[in-house]
Amino acid sequence: METIKNYLESMFRNLPNTAKVLKAKNELLQMMEDKYSELRREGKSENEAVATVIAEFGNLDEVAASLGIKEEIVGDQNVPRRSVSLEEIQAYLKDKFMAILLGAVGVGLFISCPVPVIFFGDLFGKEITGIVIMFVCIALGISFMIIKRTIMEQWRFLKTELCSIGPDSTEYITTEKRKFRTVYALMYSIGCSLCVCCFIPTIVIETASLRIADSLGPILLLLFVAIGVALIIISHKRNRVYQRLLSINSESTIGGSYADSRDKAPVYTNKTVRVIMSVYWPVITCIYLCVSFITFQWWITWIIWPIAGILQRVIAAVASEVNN
């Protein structure tokens, strides 16, 4: 019987969310349940009963007139949606989480790339070695960003096409999101704590009057910030993925959006804002590297990252108000 209910959900998923359609859906469910019970009483197996019910009532075009929703069916055909299966959702999440990890590690490498220069230059007098390793870190970070985009290329249709997900996918995503809730809170809080407390090792080392304070302090500060930012990116983006998937279905349809409207990612309808935000973080990365190389104040220039994060939220808020 569960199979019949899931099939019914897929039939009505993209129809308008109106009282008339909801009534028709309930009527059809009752008809399918009655037919299923009748077949079972006649001695049919569960699989045979399900197949017969779907064959008799599974074509919405044929039963639409009797249910009084023929106009809604015709209107819905003008806005087709690509159905995304549970297997596709699982594959997408696997690729997306790998892309998020690569992106977070890449940002972490950009932030911490001066560490080899400070470490090898100040402690061992081998600045060339440190510079070489620094450029290797930058190259790895750029490579991770390229690989990230390549991995997600096959899933571009989720952004460019109208799609829908079924009840089985919704249940799976909701369960995975619930499992991640504790991990999200832990990772996000640790990431924020590392960024806020990044200066503490420098203060402790200077208070203790250690000889290596001038080198070790900036190194620990950059590592704290790099790890903290990476944890924030991973936790925030992974949580956001669940929200975006749950909001794939149109809010105006029976399938509905299962995401809390407060958690939805901002959608920039203004073309200029959309273009700016598409290159926002690459530009911030270039600014960070340029300012850091010009000033060599690596233990100070990391502040560009939290400022950029705050600025992004401000732009999103302003753009959202304008679009509304």
Side-chain angles (χ1 to χ4, degrees):
M1 194 61 208
E2 193 65 30
T3 303
I4 294 176
K5 290 181 179 179
N6 289 336
Y7 189 85
L8 181 69
E9 290 291 339
S10 66
M11 290 170 61
F12 280 80
R13 188 186 310 157
N14 296 323
L15 294 185
N17 188 11
T18 63
K20 186 177 181 180
V21 175
L22 287 172
K23 180 182 177 181
K25 178 185 174 184
N26 292 331
E27 288 179 359
L28 185 56
L29 175 60
Q30 188 61 53
M31 293 164 60
M32 296 173 86
E33 288 179 342
D34 292 343
K35 185 63 177 181
Y36 174 82
S37 300
E38 178 185 340
L39 292 170
R40 292 290 284 163
R41 285 194 300 269
E42 293 176 357
K44 300 289 185 180
S45 68
E46 182 178 354
N47 289 338
E48 289 176 327
V50 169
T52 302
V53 170
I54 292 177
E56 185 171 337
F57 300 101
N59 191 330
L60 199 53
D61 291 328
E62 295 179 358
V63 298
S66 61
L67 294 173
I69 56 172
K70 188 173 182 179
E71 294 181 359
E72 283 75 4
I73 296 296
V74 174
D76 178 67
Q77 291 177 349
N78 295 326
V79 190
R81 284 180 172 267
R82 174 173 178 173
S83 179
V84 184
S85 67
L86 175 59
E87 291 73 20
E88 287 180 308
I89 291 294
Q90 292 172 334
Y92 168 78
L93 287 175
K94 181 179 178 181
D95 288 346
K96 185 63 176 179
F97 294 157
M98 176 57 69
I100 290 173
L101 178 61
L102 290 173
V105 173
V107 172
L109 286 171
F110 291 146
I111 296 175
S112 61
C113 64
V115 168
V117 178
I118 300 173
F119 181 78
F120 286 97
D122 290 358
L123 298 183
F124 300 102
K126 298 181 178 180
E127 292 184 357
I128 298 299
T129 301
I131 292 174
V132 170
I133 297 176
M134 179 187 70
F135 279 106
V136 169
C137 290
I138 295 174
L140 284 174
I142 295 173
S143 299
F144 287 163
M145 294 299 180
I146 295 173
I147 295 172
K148 166 189 170 183
R149 290 184 176 274
T150 303
I151 290 175
M152 297 309 300
E153 186 63 30
Q154 62 176 318
W155 303 108
R156 181 178 293 274
F157 70 88
L158 289 173
K159 293 183 177 180
T160 59
E161 299 179 23
L162 291 176
C163 299
S164 66
I165 58 175
D168 54 343
S169 298
T170 301
E171 182 178 356
Y172 174 78
I173 297 168
T174 303
T175 301
E176 291 298 308
K177 183 176 182 292
R178 189 181 302 113
K179 290 179 182 178
F180 183 66
R181 188 178 300 162
T182 302
V183 179
Y184 165 73
L186 185 62
M187 291 180 66
Y188 197 84
S189 59
I190 291 176
C192 292
S193 298
L194 286 173
C195 290
V196 171
C197 301
C198 62
F199 60 90
I200 291 179
T202 303
I203 295 176
V204 172
I205 292 172
E206 290 182 353
T207 302
S209 300
L210 297 178
R211 183 180 63 83
I212 59 175
D214 291 342
S215 300
L216 188 57
I219 288 175
L220 291 177
L221 184 147
L222 289 171
L223 290 177
F224 271 43
V225 174
I227 296 172
V229 170
L231 289 175
I232 291 172
I233 290 174
I234 293 172
S235 59
H236 178 73
K237 285 188 173 293
R238 179 161 179 168
N239 190 62
R240 182 66 68 186
V241 168
Y242 295 126
Q243 296 298 333
R244 286 178 176 173
L245 288 177
L246 290 173
S247 62
I248 282 180
N249 291 354
S250 171
E251 293 181 350
S252 62
T253 63
I254 292 290
S257 173
Y258 296 90
D260 190 329
S261 60
R262 296 170 299 178
D263 295 324
K264 293 180 183 178
V267 177
Y268 306 107
T269 57
N270 184 284
K271 185 177 180 180
T272 302
V273 176
R274 189 163 59 248
V275 170
I276 291 174
M277 297 312 296
S278 67
V279 297
Y280 182 80
W281 287 110
V283 170
I284 293 298
T285 301
C286 292
I287 292 174
Y288 166 75
L289 293 174
C290 290
V291 173
S292 299
F293 275 119
I294 292 174
T295 63
F296 281 93
Q297 302 293 314
W298 301 92
W299 52 93
I300 297 176
T301 55
W302 68 267
I303 198 69
I304 290 174
W305 294 100
I307 292 176
I310 295 172
L311 182 60
Q312 182 192 32
R313 291 298 183 91
V314 172
I315 294 174
V318 172
S320 177
E321 290 178 2
V322 171
N323 292 336
N324 290 336

